[in-house]
Amino acid sequence: MALVNGINYSWGNISVVLLGAPLIGVTKISFNEKQAKENIYGIGTQPISRGYGNSEYEASITLLYDEIVRIKAAAPNNRILDIAPFEITVIWGGTRVAPIKTILQMCEFMEDPFEGNQGDTKHEITIPLVIGGYKSVV
């Protein structure tokens, strides 16, 4: 069987930059935009137009605890919740895929959680983010 579509984007192609520094302890990043959309009805039973509401953004980042410790050390008062709004840049690149850059804008950490369990070999912490939007550059 032939390789049909070539090389696909994968986790191995991603780099993440936060506060001007590349992060190595990222295990997951998630972002989403949604917009309220509603059919508008008039005479009859079929929609006659569509209304559009606000865009909303959701995001989170999962980091190894060591990475969080480094971020806290650079944060005002050692609190990630006190960091001024910042950008997170996600870059998909490599020698065999076209580069894509997505910039999450006006990011702030919403929580400073921790969870650990007996027997853990690593601590992965998911931190929800509030973001003001994102843009992709191809």
Side-chain angles (χ1 to χ4, degrees):
M1 175 178 250
L3 184 63
V4 177
N5 293 323
I7 304 300
N8 198 3
Y9 294 99
S10 63
W11 189 253
N13 300 113
I14 289 180
S15 61
V16 177
V17 178
L18 184 143
L19 301 171
L23 299 179
I24 58 170
V26 179
T27 60
K28 181 178 180 181
I29 187 154
S30 173
F31 48 93
N32 180 45
E33 177 184 4
K34 62 182 177 181
Q35 182 180 26
K37 298 180 182 186
E38 179 181 1
N39 286 333
I40 309 298
Y41 294 86
I43 298 291
T45 61
Q46 299 301 312
I48 60 171
S49 63
R50 183 163 290 145
Y52 296 88
N54 293 335
S55 290
E56 295 180 25
Y57 299 92
E58 297 174 341
S60 67
I61 190 166
T62 302
L63 300 168
L64 295 174
Y65 190 64
D66 301 22
E67 195 75 70
I68 294 171
V69 169
R70 284 190 284 278
I71 294 168
K72 282 183 179 183
N77 306 312
N78 290 3
R79 287 176 35 101
I80 63 173
L81 301 177
D82 290 345
I83 298 172
F86 54 89
E87 291 185 343
I88 297 176
T89 303
V90 182
I91 303 164
W92 290 263
T95 57
R96 298 174 3 183
V97 294
I100 299 173
K101 182 191 307 185
T102 300
I103 302 169
L104 283 63
Q105 303 165 314
M106 297 298 292
C107 301
E108 290 188 65
F109 295 111
M110 295 177 61
E111 298 177 9
D112 184 8
F114 180 82
E115 182 176 323
N117 295 293
Q118 191 280 327
D120 285 350
T121 59
K122 64 182 181 293
H123 295 294
E124 292 179 302
I125 311 297
T126 299
I127 304 173
L129 301 165
V130 59
I131 67 171
Y134 62 86
K135 63 180 179 182
S136 292
V137 181
V138 180

